Amino acid sequence: MQIRPFCEADRPFLRTLFLASRKANWHWLDSSRWQLEDFDSTVLGETVLVVEQEGHRVGFAALLENDNFLHSLFVDPQHQGSGVGSALLKAVQARFTSTGALKCLLANKPAQAFYQRHGWQVIAQGESEQGEYVLMHYKLRP
């Protein structure tokens, strides 16, 4: 497994992965207006890390490095549960310079459990256009 920075050649596949992963995991939301190009606006201005396994792109994470904020972490539905997400999350956490933060949709219980297994803690709740979310923090270990 290799984790590397995004390059423009990744865009078509990551668009597809982003759409497929949201449809598979956010089943409680109306996906009728989701488009491949949603990936472009979601990661605009962010640092994107790509995971490759055996020459295939299987996930990505997008973060706002200056804010230590993990904005997106998506794994191909066929590779979920195989360690790809854990490896990607560790790579993101290694880039944090202070407490990391993310928002996770409240209805996305598997994702919340995933982050909590990796040391993230819920510190607040809020509401977004996709529904209620939890704000989670990850404290760097000294």
Side-chain angles (χ1 to χ4, degrees), residues 111-129:
Q112 285 180 58
F114 168 78
Y115 291 120
Q116 288 174 325
R117 281 193 308 274
H118 289 87
W120 290 75
Q121 297 178 345
V122 174
I123 62 155
Q125 280 190 240
E127 184 130 3
S128 71
E129 6 180 286

Side-chain angles (χ1 to χ4, degrees), residues 24-29 103-113 125-126 128 130-134:
N25 295 297
W26 295 359
H27 50 84
W28 64 91
L29 294 175
K103 292 177 182 176
C104 184
L105 293 174
L106 191 59
N108 197 348
K109 298 297 183 193
Q112 285 180 58
Q125 280 190 240
S128 71
Q130 288 99 13
E132 291 181 286
Y133 66 84
V134 291

Side-chain angles (χ1 to χ4, degrees), residues 26-34:
W26 295 359
H27 50 84
W28 64 91
L29 294 175
D30 176 11
S31 62
S32 63
R33 292 193 157 157
W34 294 350

